[in-house]
Amino acid sequence: MSLHLLNLAEAQRAGSFLSTDVIPQVGPKVSLHVPEKPSRMRWVPDRRRLKWTWSGGILEVTVPWLHVHGAVVVS
């Protein structure tokens, strides 16, 4: 399973479409329902291992940074 994350911190939400020259990095923490305990997590694109916990079917993963797009790969 993979969870794709998009950084929309500076996304245009109004009628005018001005360009953004800076997209701040964010470090989200995500929770999702996973019935069975995973064996490992990876962060794509750099394949870094992630800190995570699993309890009672709830997986909590800390992503160290997210610039524009990344994915948590659960295996």
Side-chain angles (χ1 to χ4, degrees):
M1 172 175 39
S2 61
L3 173 66
H4 289 262
L5 302 172
L6 298 173
N7 182 354
L8 299 175
E10 296 293 323
Q12 296 297 322
R13 292 180 176 84
S16 61
F17 291 96
L18 302 173
S19 64
T20 303
D21 60 350
V22 175
I23 299 174
Q25 290 188 15
V26 294
K29 186 171 191 175
V30 295
S31 298
L32 58 145
H33 178 73
V34 178
E36 296 180 21
K37 185 176 181 178
S39 59
R40 70 179 190 160
M41 302 288 130
R42 286 180 293 139
W43 177 244
V44 175
D46 67 3
R47 298 193 179 276
R48 179 186 309 192
R49 289 187 179 211
L50 299 173
K51 293 182 182 179
W52 59 277
T53 60
W54 180 89
S55 178
I58 302 298
L59 173 66
E60 291 189 357
V61 181
T62 302
V63 176
W65 57 268
L66 173 63
H67 193 164
V68 176
H69 171 256
V72 175
V73 178
V74 180
S75 52

